[in-house]
mmCIF file of all heavy atoms in Angstrom:
data_model
loop_
_atom_site.group_PDB
_atom_site.id
_atom_site.type_symbol
_atom_site.label_atom_id
_atom_site.label_comp_id
_atom_site.label_asym_id
_atom_site.label_seq_id
_atom_site.Cartn_x
_atom_site.Cartn_y
_atom_site.Cartn_z
ATOM 1 N N PHE I 189 0.833 -1.211 0.000
ATOM 2 C CA PHE I 189 0.000 0.000 0.000
ATOM 3 C C PHE I 189 0.862 1.252 0.000
ATOM 4 O O PHE I 189 0.627 2.195 -0.773
ATOM 5 C CB PHE I 189 -0.926 -0.011 1.217
ATOM 6 C CG PHE I 189 -1.671 1.279 1.434
ATOM 7 C CD1 PHE I 189 -2.805 1.571 0.705
ATOM 8 C CD2 PHE I 189 -1.224 2.213 2.367
ATOM 9 C CE1 PHE I 189 -3.496 2.773 0.897
ATOM 10 C CE2 PHE I 189 -1.905 3.406 2.569
ATOM 11 C CZ PHE I 189 -3.046 3.687 1.828
ATOM 12 N N VAL I 190 1.859 1.282 0.861
ATOM 13 C CA VAL I 190 2.763 2.436 0.938
ATOM 14 C C VAL I 190 3.474 2.653 -0.398
ATOM 15 O O VAL I 190 3.598 3.783 -0.883
ATOM 16 C CB VAL I 190 3.784 2.219 2.074
ATOM 17 C CG1 VAL I 190 4.931 3.219 1.981
ATOM 18 C CG2 VAL I 190 3.101 2.330 3.429
ATOM 19 N N ALA I 191 3.929 1.559 -0.991
ATOM 20 C CA ALA I 191 4.695 1.647 -2.235
ATOM 21 C C ALA I 191 3.830 2.050 -3.425
ATOM 22 O O ALA I 191 4.358 2.564 -4.426
ATOM 23 C CB ALA I 191 5.367 0.306 -2.524
ATOM 24 N N ASN I 192 2.532 1.836 -3.334
ATOM 25 C CA ASN I 192 1.642 2.103 -4.466
ATOM 26 C C ASN I 192 0.983 3.481 -4.420
ATOM 27 O O ASN I 192 0.080 3.773 -5.209
ATOM 28 C CB ASN I 192 0.554 1.030 -4.540
ATOM 29 C CG ASN I 192 1.071 -0.268 -5.128
ATOM 30 O OD1 ASN I 192 2.172 -0.323 -5.680
ATOM 31 N ND2 ASN I 192 0.293 -1.328 -5.017
ATOM 32 N N GLN I 193 1.437 4.343 -3.521
ATOM 33 C CA GLN I 193 0.886 5.696 -3.466
ATOM 34 C C GLN I 193 1.360 6.528 -4.670
ATOM 35 O O GLN I 193 2.423 6.259 -5.237
ATOM 36 C CB GLN I 193 1.289 6.376 -2.166
ATOM 37 C CG GLN I 193 0.671 5.736 -0.934
ATOM 38 C CD GLN I 193 -0.839 5.642 -1.025
ATOM 39 O OE1 GLN I 193 -1.536 6.647 -1.121
ATOM 40 N NE2 GLN I 193 -1.354 4.406 -1.028
ATOM 41 N N PRO I 194 0.598 7.541 -5.055
ATOM 42 C CA PRO I 194 1.015 8.406 -6.166
ATOM 43 C C PRO I 194 2.358 9.073 -5.889
ATOM 44 O O PRO I 194 2.797 9.154 -4.731
ATOM 45 C CB PRO I 194 -0.106 9.450 -6.241
ATOM 46 C CG PRO I 194 -1.263 8.853 -5.532
ATOM 47 C CD PRO I 194 -0.703 7.933 -4.487
ATOM 48 N N SER I 195 2.990 9.550 -6.940
ATOM 49 C CA SER I 195 4.355 10.080 -6.821
ATOM 50 C C SER I 195 4.455 11.249 -5.842
ATOM 51 O O SER I 195 5.509 11.459 -5.239
ATOM 52 C CB SER I 195 4.869 10.513 -8.195
ATOM 53 O OG SER I 195 4.028 11.519 -8.746
ATOM 54 N N HIS I 196 3.372 12.003 -5.655
ATOM 55 C CA HIS I 196 3.434 13.169 -4.760
ATOM 56 C C HIS I 196 3.100 12.810 -3.315
ATOM 57 O O HIS I 196 3.132 13.682 -2.448
ATOM 58 C CB HIS I 196 2.477 14.271 -5.251
ATOM 59 C CG HIS I 196 1.024 13.936 -5.082
ATOM 60 N ND1 HIS I 196 0.386 12.997 -5.861
ATOM 61 C CD2 HIS I 196 0.094 14.397 -4.200
ATOM 62 C CE1 HIS I 196 -0.879 12.912 -5.484
ATOM 63 N NE2 HIS I 196 -1.082 13.740 -4.474
ATOM 64 N N VAL I 197 2.789 11.548 -3.043
ATOM 65 C CA VAL I 197 2.397 11.122 -1.696
ATOM 66 C C VAL I 197 3.509 10.270 -1.091
ATOM 67 O O VAL I 197 3.867 9.223 -1.616
ATOM 68 C CB VAL I 197 1.082 10.313 -1.713
ATOM 69 C CG1 VAL I 197 0.758 9.802 -0.311
ATOM 70 C CG2 VAL I 197 -0.059 11.161 -2.252
ATOM 71 N N GLN I 198 4.049 10.726 0.035
ATOM 72 C CA GLN I 198 5.084 10.002 0.762
ATOM 73 C C GLN I 198 4.561 9.674 2.165
ATOM 74 O O GLN I 198 4.281 10.582 2.951
ATOM 75 C CB GLN I 198 6.364 10.843 0.879
ATOM 76 C CG GLN I 198 7.442 10.208 1.726
ATOM 77 C CD GLN I 198 8.701 11.059 1.804
ATOM 78 O OE1 GLN I 198 9.806 10.553 1.772
ATOM 79 N NE2 GLN I 198 8.543 12.380 1.903
ATOM 80 N N ILE I 199 4.418 8.403 2.457
ATOM 81 C CA ILE I 199 4.043 7.988 3.805
ATOM 82 C C ILE I 199 5.340 7.795 4.571
ATOM 83 O O ILE I 199 6.105 6.865 4.313
ATOM 84 C CB ILE I 199 3.204 6.697 3.784
ATOM 85 C CG1 ILE I 199 1.888 6.955 3.035
ATOM 86 C CG2 ILE I 199 2.935 6.205 5.206
ATOM 87 C CD1 ILE I 199 1.016 5.736 2.873
ATOM 88 N N SER I 200 5.615 8.675 5.495
ATOM 89 C CA SER I 200 6.912 8.655 6.173
ATOM 90 C C SER I 200 7.007 7.537 7.199
ATOM 91 O O SER I 200 8.066 6.929 7.369
ATOM 92 C CB SER I 200 7.182 10.009 6.844
ATOM 93 O OG SER I 200 6.201 10.267 7.839
ATOM 94 N N ASP I 201 5.900 7.263 7.909
ATOM 95 C CA ASP I 201 5.907 6.249 8.966
ATOM 96 C C ASP I 201 4.577 5.514 8.975
ATOM 97 O O ASP I 201 3.524 6.117 8.778
ATOM 98 C CB ASP I 201 6.094 6.882 10.346
ATOM 99 C CG ASP I 201 7.343 7.718 10.438
ATOM 100 O OD1 ASP I 201 7.280 8.920 10.103
ATOM 101 O OD2 ASP I 201 8.372 7.173 10.853
ATOM 102 N N MET I 202 4.643 4.231 9.261
ATOM 103 C CA MET I 202 3.426 3.451 9.469
ATOM 104 C C MET I 202 3.672 2.496 10.637
ATOM 105 O O MET I 202 4.610 1.699 10.606
ATOM 106 C CB MET I 202 3.028 2.662 8.221
ATOM 107 C CG MET I 202 1.755 1.846 8.404
ATOM 108 S SD MET I 202 1.298 0.868 6.942
ATOM 109 C CE MET I 202 0.592 2.158 5.909
ATOM 110 N N THR I 203 2.842 2.603 11.666
ATOM 111 C CA THR I 203 2.921 1.716 12.819
ATOM 112 C C THR I 203 1.725 0.780 12.793
ATOM 113 O O THR I 203 0.583 1.229 12.670
ATOM 114 C CB THR I 203 2.942 2.523 14.132
ATOM 115 O OG1 THR I 203 4.053 3.426 14.111
ATOM 116 C CG2 THR I 203 3.054 1.606 15.333
ATOM 117 N N ILE I 204 1.985 -0.517 12.926
ATOM 118 C CA ILE I 204 0.945 -1.535 12.775
ATOM 119 C C ILE I 204 1.005 -2.467 13.973
ATOM 120 O O ILE I 204 2.054 -3.075 14.234
ATOM 121 C CB ILE I 204 1.149 -2.355 11.486
ATOM 122 C CG1 ILE I 204 1.408 -1.434 10.289
ATOM 123 C CG2 ILE I 204 -0.044 -3.261 11.220
ATOM 124 C CD1 ILE I 204 2.135 -2.113 9.156
ATOM 125 N N MET I 205 -0.086 -2.592 14.691
ATOM 126 C CA MET I 205 -0.121 -3.487 15.844
ATOM 127 C C MET I 205 -1.353 -4.383 15.785
ATOM 128 O O MET I 205 -2.350 -4.055 15.135
ATOM 129 C CB MET I 205 -0.116 -2.687 17.148
ATOM 130 C CG MET I 205 1.195 -2.002 17.440
ATOM 131 S SD MET I 205 1.280 -1.270 19.092
ATOM 132 C CE MET I 205 0.316 0.215 18.859
ATOM 133 N N ALA I 206 -1.272 -5.508 16.479
ATOM 134 C CA ALA I 206 -2.448 -6.347 16.663
ATOM 135 C C ALA I 206 -3.491 -5.579 17.475
ATOM 136 O O ALA I 206 -3.151 -4.672 18.249
ATOM 137 C CB ALA I 206 -2.059 -7.633 17.391
ATOM 138 N N THR I 207 -4.743 -5.940 17.313
ATOM 139 C CA THR I 207 -5.815 -5.198 17.965
ATOM 140 C C THR I 207 -5.659 -5.179 19.483
ATOM 141 O O THR I 207 -5.937 -4.173 20.137
ATOM 142 C CB THR I 207 -7.180 -5.802 17.587
ATOM 143 O OG1 THR I 207 -7.328 -5.720 16.162
ATOM 144 C CG2 THR I 207 -8.325 -5.055 18.247
ATOM 145 N N LYS I 208 -5.175 -6.281 20.058
ATOM 146 C CA LYS I 208 -5.037 -6.333 21.515
ATOM 147 C C LYS I 208 -3.596 -6.133 21.963
ATOM 148 O O LYS I 208 -3.147 -6.706 22.952
ATOM 149 C CB LYS I 208 -5.621 -7.642 22.044
ATOM 150 C CG LYS I 208 -7.147 -7.673 21.867
ATOM 151 C CD LYS I 208 -7.803 -8.826 22.552
ATOM 152 C CE LYS I 208 -9.327 -8.705 22.410
ATOM 153 N NZ LYS I 208 -10.021 -9.840 23.067
ATOM 154 N N GLN I 209 -2.893 -5.296 21.217
ATOM 155 C CA GLN I 209 -1.557 -4.848 21.612
ATOM 156 C C GLN I 209 -1.585 -3.337 21.704
ATOM 157 O O GLN I 209 -2.168 -2.662 20.848
ATOM 158 C CB GLN I 209 -0.506 -5.281 20.584
ATOM 159 C CG GLN I 209 0.906 -4.811 20.922
ATOM 160 C CD GLN I 209 1.935 -5.222 19.880
ATOM 161 O OE1 GLN I 209 1.582 -5.588 18.763
ATOM 162 N NE2 GLN I 209 3.197 -5.143 20.230
ATOM 163 N N ALA I 210 -0.952 -2.801 22.736
ATOM 164 C CA ALA I 210 -0.846 -1.348 22.862
ATOM 165 C C ALA I 210 0.610 -0.978 22.647
ATOM 166 O O ALA I 210 1.164 -1.241 21.584
ATOM 167 C CB ALA I 210 -1.376 -0.890 24.214
ATOM 168 N N THR I 211 1.254 -0.383 23.617
ATOM 169 C CA THR I 211 2.643 0.038 23.420
ATOM 170 C C THR I 211 3.605 -1.123 23.609
ATOM 171 O O THR I 211 3.581 -1.806 24.636
ATOM 172 C CB THR I 211 3.006 1.143 24.426
ATOM 173 O OG1 THR I 211 2.777 0.654 25.747
ATOM 174 C CG2 THR I 211 2.168 2.375 24.186
ATOM 175 N N GLY I 212 4.424 -1.322 22.609
ATOM 176 C CA GLY I 212 5.485 -2.306 22.727
ATOM 177 C C GLY I 212 5.004 -3.682 23.117
ATOM 178 O O GLY I 212 4.270 -4.321 22.384
ATOM 179 N N PHE I 213 5.393 -4.158 24.300
ATOM 180 C CA PHE I 213 5.065 -5.508 24.735
ATOM 181 C C PHE I 213 3.842 -5.536 25.643
ATOM 182 O O PHE I 213 3.603 -6.517 26.349
ATOM 183 C CB PHE I 213 6.280 -6.122 25.449
ATOM 184 C CG PHE I 213 6.691 -7.457 24.872
ATOM 185 C CD1 PHE I 213 6.820 -7.624 23.506
ATOM 186 C CD2 PHE I 213 6.963 -8.535 25.693
ATOM 187 C CE1 PHE I 213 7.210 -8.843 22.963
ATOM 188 C CE2 PHE I 213 7.355 -9.759 25.171
ATOM 189 C CZ PHE I 213 7.480 -9.910 23.799
ATOM 190 N N LEU I 214 3.056 -4.445 25.668
ATOM 191 C CA LEU I 214 1.823 -4.434 26.456
ATOM 192 C C LEU I 214 0.727 -5.115 25.640
ATOM 193 O O LEU I 214 0.224 -4.544 24.663
ATOM 194 C CB LEU I 214 1.429 -3.005 26.815
ATOM 195 C CG LEU I 214 0.186 -2.856 27.685
ATOM 196 C CD1 LEU I 214 0.352 -3.621 28.999
ATOM 197 C CD2 LEU I 214 -0.099 -1.399 27.959
ATOM 198 N N ILE I 215 0.425 -6.341 26.014
ATOM 199 C CA ILE I 215 -0.487 -7.189 25.242
ATOM 200 C C ILE I 215 -1.546 -7.759 26.173
ATOM 201 O O ILE I 215 -1.253 -8.197 27.296
ATOM 202 C CB ILE I 215 0.297 -8.338 24.570
ATOM 203 C CG1 ILE I 215 1.227 -7.783 23.488
ATOM 204 C CG2 ILE I 215 -0.648 -9.377 23.974
ATOM 205 C CD1 ILE I 215 2.230 -8.791 22.965
ATOM 206 N N HIS I 216 -2.802 -7.750 25.707
ATOM 207 C CA HIS I 216 -3.868 -8.433 26.445
ATOM 208 C C HIS I 216 -4.003 -9.833 25.884
ATOM 209 O O HIS I 216 -4.274 -10.027 24.705
ATOM 210 C CB HIS I 216 -5.202 -7.695 26.321
ATOM 211 C CG HIS I 216 -6.328 -8.433 26.967
ATOM 212 N ND1 HIS I 216 -6.481 -8.513 28.334
ATOM 213 C CD2 HIS I 216 -7.331 -9.170 26.435
ATOM 214 C CE1 HIS I 216 -7.543 -9.234 28.635
ATOM 215 N NE2 HIS I 216 -8.067 -9.652 27.491
ATOM 216 N N ARG I 217 -3.811 -10.828 26.739
ATOM 217 C CA ARG I 217 -3.887 -12.215 26.310
ATOM 218 C C ARG I 217 -5.160 -12.859 26.875
ATOM 219 O O ARG I 217 -5.449 -12.760 28.057
ATOM 220 C CB ARG I 217 -2.651 -12.990 26.781
ATOM 221 C CG ARG I 217 -1.363 -12.437 26.203
ATOM 222 C CD ARG I 217 -0.161 -13.245 26.659
ATOM 223 N NE ARG I 217 1.097 -12.615 26.241
ATOM 224 C CZ ARG I 217 1.676 -12.794 25.070
ATOM 225 N NH1 ARG I 217 1.108 -13.606 24.183
ATOM 226 N NH2 ARG I 217 2.805 -12.189 24.780
ATOM 227 N N GLU I 218 -5.904 -13.535 25.999
ATOM 228 C CA GLU I 218 -7.080 -14.285 26.430
ATOM 229 C C GLU I 218 -6.625 -15.585 27.086
ATOM 230 O O GLU I 218 -5.703 -16.241 26.587
ATOM 231 C CB GLU I 218 -7.973 -14.591 25.233
ATOM 232 C CG GLU I 218 -8.464 -13.364 24.486
ATOM 233 C CD GLU I 218 -9.467 -12.542 25.277
ATOM 234 O OE1 GLU I 218 -10.025 -13.066 26.262
ATOM 235 O OE2 GLU I 218 -9.694 -11.365 24.920
ATOM 236 N N LYS I 219 -7.268 -15.952 28.168
ATOM 237 C CA LYS I 219 -6.889 -17.189 28.867
ATOM 238 C C LYS I 219 -7.647 -18.368 28.298
ATOM 239 O O LYS I 219 -8.721 -18.238 27.753
ATOM 240 C CB LYS I 219 -7.162 -17.048 30.359
ATOM 241 C CG LYS I 219 -6.295 -15.969 31.009
ATOM 242 C CD LYS I 219 -6.558 -15.890 32.487
ATOM 243 C CE LYS I 219 -5.671 -14.811 33.135
ATOM 244 N NZ LYS I 219 -5.950 -14.702 34.602
#
């Protein structure tokens, strides 16, 4: 997706996490 943007569009950063992950290693685990 990032690579397919038009020539005038630069996505500088993209952060992607699982839905039940917050910062870094803060994860909600189902028992």
